[in-house]
């Protein structure tokens, strides 16, 4: 180990254990780039849930908190920095009880709604279709609207599409104009219901597939707006659900099927485990369960391959992330939790999995954007902090729309206390339009530094340009309103590129991205 590999540890005050080191030989197949990593894999999700919208995004036009027409300025600016590619709204479970017409028209008039799923609170519907789509325009991000199948009607969804996207004379387009918006918006991504096996109507797969076909028929393409139609997909490992969606809905009637999977260390759903008060056992359980995403994506893709070998129908992982016990003192149904270095690792591992499956995975949406579950931001009145997860999205934006380069490595396997095994290292690599290669690495091991040697197959002449790292003193470290920069991204220099070989000393429990040009 050279002295440079100790620098991050010394800077952070670690007592580095020199004996805890392993080696790894890794190959980036720079000549085998075939598929593009859609930027939509780096997508987000904002639901009418707790302080996710109200307080987190929307503060209203009369607020003293700096805002753009009622939307928090700090959030808009931070999202622009990470080039947010899409935003899913209004749910989640909320989508299947959201009636969009309640959220349009003069602000004094909209009827209030009870958010029965999330805390039973009353919302005033002041954030509706116009506010959401205006926000997406400021962010230059693609809106992804999830419509109401569980408690809605075919007519309601059909009119929503007309209201938003029709440019000619029609009752809905005229109503939109009456409400202040002349030109139609472009909305490509539409979900037909959410979790229709559960909160979205407790339907059987066969029943939902029939409903999907009916709803989908009346959701029209107006003008140049082409809908990308997303089927409400399976929960976790419900392979039967996926099978029915692929079999009962013709390929030409759908563009994507969604998948939901959350990670938690606890023994059962409802006892998820603490977000900050966790030990090594909880940590490894969380990481082992994060890697389960690899199996889920592979097995669901294999089913899709049988019906759609050309991969025209995409897998849309539109809810993923860590789910823990609610933050002590918060409203139970608001799903508020802190976010530590462990969660940064959860995010990076998931994103590497999605990158590596980009032939089938077109979009993914971490749950959720602000104040809910594995959030990128936490707010408290006028204060806002970026969580460690935010910094992962910042680091990984280099992969947006870049060509995936396959990575192979004989990786060491670790196991949690329940015997669930997972790789010590997770990696993905891509080449961007300027020809730069980015290699992202996650060392999931809490104690071993990894001396990694990487060859770039099928190419030459690359030199190391820069490196970035996310590493905390303790795996439990998080950003708080008092200490907002405990876990951040900073420059990483402990790598060398010589004679076509890249060597990296990858610290324990770290996330690193290296740029080569
Ligand atoms: O993200 C929180 C909830 O989790 C969503 O509303 C629902 O779709 C899922 O069960």
């Amino acid at each position: 180990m050279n002295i440079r590999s100790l620098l991050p540890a010394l800077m952070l005050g670690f007592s580095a254990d020199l004996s805890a080191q392993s080696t790894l030989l890794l190959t980036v197949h720079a000549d085998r780039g075939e598929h593009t990593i859609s930027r939509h894999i780096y997508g987000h999700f904002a639901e009418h849930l707790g302080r996710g919208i109200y307080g987190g995004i929307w503060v209203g036009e009369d607020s003293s908190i700096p805002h753009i027409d009622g939307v928090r300025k700090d959030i808009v600016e931070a999202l622009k920095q990470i080039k947010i590619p899409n935003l899913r709204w209004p749910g989640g479970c909320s989508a299947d009880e959201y009636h969009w017409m309640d959220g349009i028209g003069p602000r004094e008039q909209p009827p209030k709604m009870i958010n029965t799923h999330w805390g039973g609170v009353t919302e005033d519907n002041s954030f509706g279709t116009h506010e959401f789509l205006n926000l997406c325009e400021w962010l230059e991000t693609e809106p992804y609207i999830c419509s109401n199948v569980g408690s809605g009607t075919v007519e309601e969804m059909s009119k929503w599409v007309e209201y938003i996207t029709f440019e000619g004379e029609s009752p809905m387009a005229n109503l939109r104009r009456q409400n202040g918006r002349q030109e139609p918006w472009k909305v490509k991504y539409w979900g037909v219901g959410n979790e229709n096996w559960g909160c979205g109507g407790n339907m059987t797969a066969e029943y939902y597939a029939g409903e999907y076909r009916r709803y989908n028929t009346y959701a029209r393409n107006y003008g140049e707006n082409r809908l990308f139609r997303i089927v409400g997909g399976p929960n976790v490992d419900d392979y039967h659900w996926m099978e029915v969606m692929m079999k009962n809905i013709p390929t030409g009637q759908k563009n994507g099927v969604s998948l939901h999977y959350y990670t938690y260390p606890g023994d059962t759903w409802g006892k998820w485990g603490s977000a900050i008060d966790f030990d090594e056992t909880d940590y490894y359980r969380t990481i082992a369960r994060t890697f389960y995403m690899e199996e889920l994506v592979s097995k669901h893709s294999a089913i899709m391959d049988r019906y759609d070998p050309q991969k025209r129908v995409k897998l849309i992982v539109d809810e993923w992330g860590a789910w823990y016990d609610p933050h002590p003192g918060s409203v139970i149904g608001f799903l508020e939790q802190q976010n530590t270095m462990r969660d940064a690792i959860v995010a990076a591992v998931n994103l590497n999995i999605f990158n590596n499956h980009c032939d089938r995975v077109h979009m993914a949406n971490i749950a959720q954007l602000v104040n809910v579950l594995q959030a990128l931001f936490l707010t408290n009145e006028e204060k806002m902090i970026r969580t460690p997860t935010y910094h992962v999205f910042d680091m990984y934006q280099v992969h947006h729309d870049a060509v995936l380069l396959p990575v192979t490595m004989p990786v060491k396997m670790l196991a949690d206390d329940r015997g669930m095994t997972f790789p010590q290292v997770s990696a993905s690599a891509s080449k961007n339009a300027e020809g730069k290669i980015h290699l992202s690495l996650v060392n999931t091991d809490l104690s071993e530094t990894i001396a990694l040697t990487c060859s770039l197959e099928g190419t030459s002449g690359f030199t190391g340009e820069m490196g970035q790292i996310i590493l905390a003193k303790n795996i439990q470290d998080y950003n708080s309103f008092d200490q907002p920069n405990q876990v951040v991204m900073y420059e990483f220099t402990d790598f060398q590129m010589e004679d076509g070989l890249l060597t990296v000393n990858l610290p324990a429990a770290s996330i690193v991205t290296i740029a080569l040009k």
Side-chain angles (χ1 to χ4, degrees):
M1 174 184 278
N2 67 33
I3 187 67
R4 285 203 306 149
S5 67
L6 282 174
L7 280 179
L10 293 174
M11 273 161 48
L12 290 161
F14 276 128
S15 53
D17 178 359
L18 294 183
S19 61
Q21 183 177 7
S22 58
T23 54
L24 176 66
L25 292 174
L26 180 146
T27 306
V28 173
H29 299 273
D31 52 347
R32 289 198 352 219
E34 205 184 329
H35 304 288
T36 298
I37 298 171
S38 166
R39 67 184 184 284
H40 292 293
I41 283 176
Y42 294 84
H44 294 276
F45 171 32
E47 178 168 11
H48 285 250
L49 193 175
R51 298 188 304 121
I53 302 271
Y54 294 104
I57 292 176
W58 177 255
V59 287
E61 285 127 341
D62 300 328
S63 176
S64 59
I65 297 170
H67 62 87
I68 309 168
D69 291 347
V71 172
R72 294 186 74 110
K73 207 161 171 256
D74 48 9
I75 298 282
V76 169
E77 282 165 1
L79 284 174
K80 278 182 173 244
Q81 275 171 32
I82 58 167
K83 300 196 178 74
I84 175 176
N86 67 65
L87 184 58
R88 178 173 183 247
W89 173 85
C93 293
S94 301
D96 282 279
E97 60 178 359
Y98 184 73
H99 299 283
W100 69 271
M101 282 207 169
D102 293 347
I104 57 169
R107 183 90 6 98
E108 316 75 60
Q109 281 170 21
K112 296 188 172 27
M113 65 181 266
I114 311 166
N115 196 330
T116 58
H117 277 295
W118 307 118
V121 293
T122 303
E123 291 181 11
D124 66 4
N125 267 315
S126 50
F127 188 89
T129 300
H130 288 246
E131 289 72 21
F132 171 65
L133 293 174
N134 290 342
L135 167 64
C136 290
E137 279 190 343
W138 298 327
L139 292 171
E140 295 176 63
T141 196
E142 294 264 8
Y144 168 14
I145 291 184
C146 186
S147 53
N148 181 347
V149 169
S151 70
T153 62
V154 171
E155 183 186 4
E156 205 178 346
M157 179 178 174
S158 169
K159 283 183 167 171
W160 205 1
V161 176
E162 179 190 326
Y163 182 90
I164 292 173
T165 64
F166 187 62
E167 70 178 327
E169 283 278 318
S170 83
M172 288 302 108
N174 291 348
L175 182 59
R176 182 191 70 231
R177 290 189 193 98
Q178 200 180 306
N179 288 330
R181 172 78 187 197
Q182 292 302 314
E183 297 304 314
W185 288 278
K186 284 229 161 32
V187 178
K188 176 175 169 185
Y189 295 107
W190 283 84
V192 182
N194 169 76
E195 298 196 349
N196 301 92
W197 39 263
C199 66
N202 283 308
M203 302 174 192
T204 63
E206 291 76 8
Y207 181 82
Y208 169 74
E211 286 293 277
Y212 173 91
R213 293 170 64 139
R214 207 161 62 89
Y215 274 74
N216 183 51
T217 305
Y218 302 96
R220 308 291 190 191
N221 289 324
Y222 291 114
E224 286 171 8
N225 195 69
R226 305 283 102 179
L227 305 182
F228 185 105
R229 300 148 192 276
I230 300 171
V231 176
N235 187 30
V236 194
D237 58 353
D238 187 347
Y239 299 116
H240 170 73
W241 187 284
M242 179 58 86
E243 186 86 38
V244 173
M245 296 310 119
M246 293 306 292
K247 190 164 75 185
N248 291 16
I249 303 170
T251 299
Q253 289 179 29
K254 60 185 186 282
N255 301 97
V257 182
S258 77
L259 167 67
H260 290 181
Y261 171 58
Y262 287 97
T263 305
Y264 60 96
D267 289 320
T268 49
W269 186 250
K271 290 199 162 66
W272 301 283
S274 168
I276 48 175
D277 188 12
F278 62 90
D279 58 18
E280 211 170 283
T281 303
D282 301 317
Y283 167 78
Y284 283 120
R285 284 182 179 192
T286 311
I287 301 307
R289 287 188 173 185
T290 300
F291 276 99
Y292 184 47
M293 182 67 91
E294 171 68 42
E295 179 176 329
L296 293 172
V297 169
S298 301
K299 288 190 171 169
H300 283 296
S301 297
I303 296 169
M304 297 174 88
D305 285 347
R306 279 196 277 111
Y307 294 90
D308 171 36
Q310 290 161 332
K311 300 186 195 295
R312 281 184 292 164
V313 179
K314 299 299 179 187
L315 190 59
I316 308 291
V317 190
D318 56 16
E319 287 187 32
W320 65 272
W323 190 314
Y324 304 117
D325 297 339
H327 193 63
S330 65
V331 179
I332 302 285
F334 281 13
L335 312 185
E336 294 192 14
Q337 62 190 41
Q338 248 298 354
N339 195 297
T340 65
M341 181 66 210
R342 170 177 63 169
D343 298 299
I345 291 182
V346 168
V349 167
N350 272 302
L351 292 170
N352 283 341
I353 293 170
F354 303 146
N355 283 352
N356 289 325
H357 284 275
C358 67
D359 57 336
R360 183 65 84 175
V361 178
H362 169 72
M363 183 192 285
N365 308 74
I366 187 169
Q368 296 191 5
L369 192 62
V370 193
N371 293 330
V372 177
L373 298 175
Q374 191 175 346
L376 270 74
F377 308 99
L378 301 176
T379 66
N380 183 6
E381 297 296 335
E382 75 290 350
K383 292 187 190 148
M384 180 278 266
I385 51 169
R386 294 163 167 85
T387 66
T389 299
Y390 174 89
H391 297 292
V392 178
F393 278 81
D394 192 6
M395 178 188 274
Y396 273 58
Q397 57 176 297
V398 292
H399 296 299
H400 289 198
D401 293 332
V403 175
L404 176 76
L405 302 179
V407 174
T408 50
M409 53 184 166
V411 74
K412 177 176 164 184
M413 297 300 281
L414 306 178
D416 71 4
D417 65 310
R418 294 184 276 213
M420 194 167 181
T421 59
F422 60 93
Q424 185 187 36
V425 172
S426 152
S428 70
S430 67
K431 191 172 188 173
N432 70 12
E434 289 90 54
K436 271 189 206 172
I437 291 178
H438 291 99
L439 171 62
S440 291
L441 301 157
V442 187
N443 180 356
T444 66
D445 200 311
L446 285 178
S447 51
E448 281 193 2
T449 297
I450 297 166
L452 188 143
T453 306
C454 168
S455 64
L456 290 185
E457 203 117 303
T459 191
S460 59
F462 274 84
T463 54
E465 189 194 37
M466 59 124 46
Q468 291 173 318
I469 187 167
I470 302 172
L471 172 66
K473 188 170 173 188
N474 303 299
I475 194 73
Q476 294 86 356
D477 285 353
Y478 57 87
N479 298 334
S480 64
F481 295 105
D482 297 329
Q483 292 186 292
N485 296 316
Q486 284 277 96
V487 187
V488 292
M489 175 170 77
Y490 56 94
E491 192 187 353
F492 177 70
T493 53
D494 200 4
F495 68 94
Q496 265 178 332
M497 185 82 192
E498 237 172 54
D499 303 328
L501 277 187
L502 170 70
T503 51
V504 186
N505 281 307
L506 193 60
S510 71
I511 304 161
V512 163
T513 291
I514 293 169
L516 306 166
K517 64 169 188 181

